[in-house]
């Protein structure tokens, strides 16, 4: 009886903690930032409390969610080098219920500064730990590299979403990323899971898109999300207005795809 009570209490505590999901692929142009912005916004419309950590010096996730990156006091850079607490760097996005810790070009320098820190791979984990009780989902938009900040992000994360575009060289570099994940699981974060492979930029009219879809599903089977993100002009246009696709054109194919993905994530984690 006491064990059962303890188990229920423990389970309820675990359920109240937010899930940290990193989006990573060292190959650029696969829809990683697009997915971060639109998945986070979709989950916020389902009344989930969501935080985006922009861990890419290009800061595209920040600007794509309406953050004026030229006029921010603190960014993820200051959090990582210990100049501010994560709570001090949080900005409200253009979407209700969705917050952002923005990035800045200074983040390039953090690679060097982290190298000299003790337990340098665990800095992001320590930064984000106090926020897990505040948010349902925390997404980390990783840069297209496997440097120390991406390693930090994967060490902090509970799981990883790997976007894979339905174009030539789709599988290029995935084996290297999977090897990095294996090393991090063995040495730094044994709890790290693959949330799923996400097929992006899909065009059902193209034989190549269908071939790559079939190949990815054959390789990774149940690890591939049911939802597929179609190539969609609205997804490309929305970031230039500093808003996600769901605010730009809620009826667009891209917005509907990400709403479906959000439902899939919620279903998987409920």
């Amino acid at each position: 009886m006491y064990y059962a009570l303890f188990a229920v209490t423990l389970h309820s505590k675990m359920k109240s903690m937010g899930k940290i999901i990193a989006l990573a692929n060292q190959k650029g142009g696969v829809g990683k930032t697009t997915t971060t912005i639109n998945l986070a916004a979709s989950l916020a419309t389902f009344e989930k409390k969501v935080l985006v950590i922009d861990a890419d010096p290009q800061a595209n996730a920040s600007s794509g969610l309406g953050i004026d990156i030229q006029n921010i006091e603190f960014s993820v850079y200051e959090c990582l080098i210990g100049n501010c607490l994560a709570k001090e760097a949080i900005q409200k996005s253009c979407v209700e219920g969705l917050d952002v810790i923005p990035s800045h070009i200074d983040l390039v320098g953090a690679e060097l500064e982290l190298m000299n820190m003790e337990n340098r791979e665990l800095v992001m984990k320590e930064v984000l730990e106090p926020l897990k009780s505040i948010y349902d989902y925390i997404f980390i938009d990783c840069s297209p590299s496997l440097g120390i900040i991406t390693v930090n992000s994967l060490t902090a994360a509970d799981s990883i979403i790997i976007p894979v575009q339905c174009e030539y060289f789709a599988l290029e570099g995935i084996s290297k990323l999977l090897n990095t994940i294996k090393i991090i699981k063995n040495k730094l974060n044994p709890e790290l899971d693959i949330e799923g492979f996400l097929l992006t930029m899909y065009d059902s009219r193209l034989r190549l898109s269908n071939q790559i879809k079939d190949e990815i599903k054959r390789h990774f089977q149940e690890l591939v999300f049911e939802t597929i993100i179609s190539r969609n002009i609205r997804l490309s246009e929305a970031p230039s207005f500093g808003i996600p696709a769901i605010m730009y054109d809620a009826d667009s194919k891209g917005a509907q795809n990400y709403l479906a993905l959000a439902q899939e994530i919620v279903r998987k984690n409920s």
Side-chain angles (χ1 to χ4, degrees):
M1 179 180 166
Y2 290 112
Y3 173 77
L5 183 61
F6 172 75
V8 168
T9 306
L10 182 64
H11 182 67
S12 64
K13 283 183 179 178
M14 286 172 66
K15 291 293 282 182
S16 68
M17 296 297 280
K19 185 168 191 178
I20 301 178
I21 302 177
L23 288 97
N25 190 330
Q26 77 272 24
K27 192 176 185 304
V30 299
K32 182 176 48 58
T33 299
T34 298
T35 296
T36 303
I37 291 169
N38 289 289
L39 175 56
S42 295
L43 283 163
T45 66
F46 293 153
E47 300 187 341
K48 301 296 182 184
K49 191 88 174 99
V50 187
L51 175 67
V52 165
I53 311 294
D54 192 346
D56 186 341
Q58 296 178 79
N60 290 334
S62 304
S63 57
L65 285 168
I67 306 297
D68 180 2
I69 57 175
Q70 302 304 320
N71 292 300
I72 53 171
E73 186 177 0
F74 298 124
S75 70
V76 71
Y77 167 75
E78 283 78 21
C79 297
L80 290 173
I81 64 167
N83 282 6
C84 77
L85 297 172
K87 284 183 180 179
E88 296 176 280
I90 292 171
Q91 303 268 323
K92 289 197 178 300
S93 79
C94 57
V95 181
E96 188 177 348
L98 171 54
D99 295 337
V100 184
I101 294 184
S103 186
H104 192 275
I105 193 63
D106 289 348
L107 190 59
V108 172
E111 290 274 348
L112 294 172
E113 295 182 57
L114 284 172
M115 283 300 206
N116 299 318
M117 289 188 185
E118 195 175 341
N119 296 322
R120 60 192 181 196
E121 297 91 354
L122 301 175
V123 177
M124 181 79 82
K125 184 180 177 70
E126 290 168 6
V127 165
L128 298 185
E129 198 62 39
L131 304 180
K132 289 188 77 172
S133 60
I134 302 172
Y135 294 94
D136 297 306
Y137 294 96
I138 299 174
F139 292 101
I140 309 176
D141 185 31
C142 300
S143 64
S145 72
L146 293 177
I148 187 67
I149 292 174
T150 299
V151 169
N152 257 269
S153 300
L154 296 179
T155 303
D158 299 302
S159 65
I160 175 173
I161 291 174
I162 304 170
V164 184
Q165 85 280 31
C166 294
E167 296 180 354
Y168 281 116
F169 309 122
L171 294 171
E172 187 183 79
I174 285 184
S175 60
K176 189 175 180 184
L177 176 60
L178 292 176
N179 191 49
T180 300
I181 292 169
K182 184 179 176 183
I183 291 168
I184 288 170
K185 275 180 73 78
N186 287 339
K187 298 189 173 181
L188 296 165
N189 183 6
E191 305 302 316
L192 181 63
D193 290 323
I194 293 177
E195 189 78 21
F197 289 85
L198 177 67
L199 291 161
T200 64
M201 304 178 194
Y202 175 70
D203 187 338
S204 60
R205 300 167 299 177
L206 300 179
R207 185 194 298 177
L208 178 64
S209 274
N210 288 299
Q211 285 175 340
I212 289 169
K213 178 188 74 170
D214 293 342
E215 188 177 356
I216 297 290
K217 288 191 169 183
R218 188 170 63 250
H219 265 82
F220 301 111
Q221 297 173 24
E222 73 279 357
L223 286 176
V224 182
F225 284 109
E226 292 172 23
T227 305
I228 296 174
I229 310 301
S230 299
R231 184 175 286 283
N232 181 250
I233 191 68
R234 294 289 186 258
L235 287 175
S236 306
E237 291 173 346
S240 64
F241 294 92
I243 54 177
I246 198 168
M247 292 178 71
Y248 182 61
D249 184 354
D251 294 325
S252 67
K253 185 72 171 171
Q256 292 300 312
N257 286 163
Y258 279 110
L259 284 168
L261 179 62
Q263 286 179 319
E264 195 173 341
I265 294 271
V266 170
R267 196 166 61 240
K268 187 176 180 182
N269 288 285
S270 60

